[in-house]
Amino acid sequence: MSEPFIFIGTHRVREGKLEEFQEYFSDFCATVVEPNEPRLLSFHGYADVPANEVIVVQIHPDAESMAHHMSVITEHVARAYSDLLEPQSRFQVYGVARGPVLEMVREMGRTDGDALTVRQAFAGFERLPRL
């Protein structure tokens, strides 16, 4: 049985672009992510207005779902970084990352090793639906 794969991305928004990013992200959720990723369990954006940052929290049933997510969002992420987000981001991964997922995350945010934290579960249970 695989454990859930939780991904948290923290992104600094370009000055004066927070509202535009929020509108972009709402549309992105409704038109790209939700219709193309039926296995994704939860996908939410949160704003930290004083810090001018946005936090994206994702819960996947497994790392394979995250890999699929990365293939779906590639061109959209490039647009967000070119128009709305500063290049540096911080990422947290909870779960076992299989395959190229971690490298894809590093490339997405042009992060160095310190900007990506990976933690593996050692105990617990879940009540997530089986997909």
Side-chain angles (χ1 to χ4, degrees):
M1 183 170 91
S2 63
E3 65 189 47
F5 186 91
I6 300 166
F7 177 86
I8 301 170
T10 303
H11 313 278
R12 179 164 301 279
V13 180
R14 293 183 189 270
E15 196 63 40
K17 299 283 188 170
L18 183 58
E19 188 174 310
E20 185 179 347
F21 179 83
Q22 289 174 309
E23 291 171 7
Y24 166 81
F25 190 78
S26 293
D27 181 66
F28 173 67
C29 287
T31 62
V32 177
V33 177
E34 188 172 14
N36 293 299
E37 299 190 54
R39 295 188 66 228
L40 183 55
L41 300 172
S42 181
F43 187 78
H44 291 278
Y46 300 87
D48 180 346
V49 176
N52 199 41
E53 291 183 331
V54 291
I55 300 91
V56 178
V57 178
Q58 305 173 34
I59 302 175
H60 296 266
D62 50 39
E64 289 75 23
S65 173
M66 179 64 179
H68 175 70
H69 172 73
M70 297 298 290
S71 71
V72 168
I73 68 163
T74 301
E75 70 182 61
H76 303 280
V77 168
R79 179 196 167 226
Y81 275 106
S82 71
D83 298 344
L84 303 168
L85 301 174
E86 295 293 346
Q88 298 80 22
S89 295
R90 298 181 313 277
F91 302 112
Q92 297 176 57
V93 170
Y94 297 86
V96 177
R98 293 179 182 88
V101 171
L102 294 181
E103 189 57 37
M104 294 166 87
V105 167
R106 281 187 189 98
E107 290 175 16
M108 175 179 63
R110 297 178 289 261
T111 64
D112 60 21
D114 294 336
L116 175 62
T117 304
V118 180
R119 295 180 174 94
Q120 294 184 12
F122 64 89
F125 69 93
E126 61 189 71
R127 291 191 175 115
L128 299 172
R130 300 284 177 233
L131 301 175

